[in-house]
Amino acid sequence: MMLNTPTDYRTALRRLDALVAAGVEGNAALEAEFRELIIALDTYESKLGLLPIPNLPTSLAEMIELKRQQMRLKQKDLAQLLEVPAGRLSQILSGKRRVTLDLAKRLYERLGIPSDFILKNA
């Protein structure tokens, strides 16, 4: 099976959704069609050069690291920006130390980390 157009792609996605909803386990013909659709969709997406969706941060340390990478800062430069010793930042990123209220404010103001994310994950 080859997908050549966006219409082919959308049709294949709808069929895949229908197979998932119906359940393909135990039915050899449907399982084969399911595998064929997956391969065809993957091949089409590879041709488009789509980038995989990155995993979103689930912890404050992961969010800080993401922001550091986005800002293209070294860890010691980030520590200076946040006005904390580099060792303390390292402990926070490794989960060995918790964030203080003052640091939480700086994370919000200087890195743009949403305050609700900080509160839920601090």
Side-chain angles (χ1 to χ4, degrees):
M1 169 184 285
M2 290 290 297
L3 305 176
N4 298 313
T5 67
T7 303
D8 293 344
Y9 180 72
R10 285 191 298 276
T11 302
L13 283 175
R14 280 194 294 275
R15 179 62 183 151
L16 184 69
D17 286 342
L19 289 173
V20 169
V24 297
E25 291 182 22
N27 186 326
L30 291 180
E31 286 178 359
E33 182 183 359
F34 183 81
R35 282 191 294 277
E36 186 179 343
L37 278 170
I38 293 292
I39 292 168
L41 289 164
D42 189 48
T43 302
Y44 183 80
E45 290 170 353
S46 295
K47 282 190 236 176
L48 294 178
L50 299 176
L51 297 175
I53 298 172
N55 293 332
L56 297 175
T58 57
S59 71
L60 187 53
E62 289 175 0
M63 180 63 86
I64 295 169
E65 183 62 25
L66 174 66
K67 294 293 186 175
R68 182 190 69 77
Q69 291 173 0
Q70 288 174 341
M71 296 172 79
R72 295 190 170 110
L73 294 173
K74 293 180 181 175
Q75 191 169 317
K76 69 175 189 155
D77 297 329
L78 179 62
Q80 289 175 347
L81 176 69
L82 295 173
E83 299 177 24
V84 296
R88 185 175 305 152
L89 179 60
S90 178
Q91 290 175 335
I92 290 168
L93 293 175
S94 67
K96 295 179 182 174
R97 182 176 275 227
R98 298 188 62 93
V99 173
T100 64
L101 180 59
D102 287 336
L103 180 56
K105 287 179 185 177
R106 290 191 293 265
L107 291 171
Y108 170 75
E109 293 168 351
R110 298 177 187 175
L111 298 186
I113 297 175
S115 57
D116 60 329
F117 187 88
I118 295 170
L119 287 173
K120 288 178 186 174
N121 297 287

